[in-house]
Amino acid sequence: KGPYIAILPGEGTPVLELEALEEPPSLMDEVRSGLNIVLEAPALGSLKPTFPVKYRQVRVGRVMGSALSLTAQEVYIFVNIEEPYIALIHENTVFWNASGINVDAGIFSGVQIYTESIESIIAGGIALATPEGKEMGAPANPGHHFVLQDKMDEGWLAWKPKIELA
């Protein structure tokens, strides 16, 4: 809150006069390259700006910020997917919180511990998977909303779509 000045590089010829905005630009506008999308979650949890977004444990993007939805019923998590990984994101891509450790324990089943990687325990992050063939749907557009899943489904790890990266 309060007065401040923020400047982003633009395109075109240099100017000597600038127009001041009444409010800061949307977090979706902060990154002009890549694909800006929104993940919806019931709560933010431990996710923070700069946390990685990974596909097959390879960083393909990052968390840019978060805000309450317009009705305050959920949290919007703003994510930027970097070039050339935009092609990975389709309408039916799934995202899940890969931060920390998930532990399932039972009397007869024993203890099972799930984590994306040692780095995700320390640094946190989001993982994603895209289904194969027609199931992947159309490529996602800027501003597309996805639901952030609480945990990974083992079946998602079996998906191996052939996606050409630019």
Side-chain angles (χ1 to χ4, degrees):
K1 303 286 181 186
Y4 58 90
I5 295 176
I7 298 175
L8 294 172
E11 297 176 2
T13 59
V15 296
L16 298 175
E17 294 181 21
L18 302 174
E19 180 182 338
L21 301 175
E22 293 292 325
E23 297 179 5
S26 162
L27 290 169
M28 293 298 291
D29 296 332
E30 284 193 25
V31 178
R32 294 177 188 229
S33 64
L35 175 67
N36 295 309
I37 57 174
V38 180
L39 305 181
E40 300 175 1
L44 183 58
S46 63
L47 294 172
K48 296 179 182 168
T50 73
F51 272 25
V53 177
K54 295 183 176 184
Y55 181 79
R56 301 187 184 280
Q57 297 180 342
V58 173
R59 183 184 173 126
V60 298
R62 63 186 166 122
V63 173
M64 300 302 298
S66 60
L68 285 175
S69 68
L70 296 176
T71 60
Q73 292 176 302
E74 58 195 351
V75 173
Y76 288 166
I77 301 161
F78 302 103
V79 168
N80 177 262
I81 303 297
E82 300 162 1
E83 296 278 357
Y85 305 114
I86 295 170
L88 298 172
I89 313 302
H90 287 72
E91 291 174 336
N92 295 322
T93 296
V94 292
F95 295 83
W96 65 93
N97 190 337
S99 299
I101 302 174
N102 293 325
V103 179
D104 288 334
I107 295 172
F108 300 109
S109 63
V111 176
Q112 294 181 328
I113 299 174
Y114 303 96
T115 183
E116 181 73 13
S117 66
I118 296 298
E119 180 187 7
S120 70
I121 295 171
I122 298 166
I126 294 172
L128 68 99
T130 298
E132 301 173 79
K134 292 180 183 179
E135 294 298 315
M136 71 174 58
N141 292 316
H144 192 97
H145 283 236
F146 296 89
V147 173
L148 179 64
Q149 305 296 325
D150 290 333
K151 60 182 179 177
M152 167 193 68
D153 180 314
E154 290 288 329
W156 299 338
L157 298 180
W159 293 343
K160 293 184 178 181
K162 184 177 181 179
I163 301 172
E164 297 289 330
L165 301 177

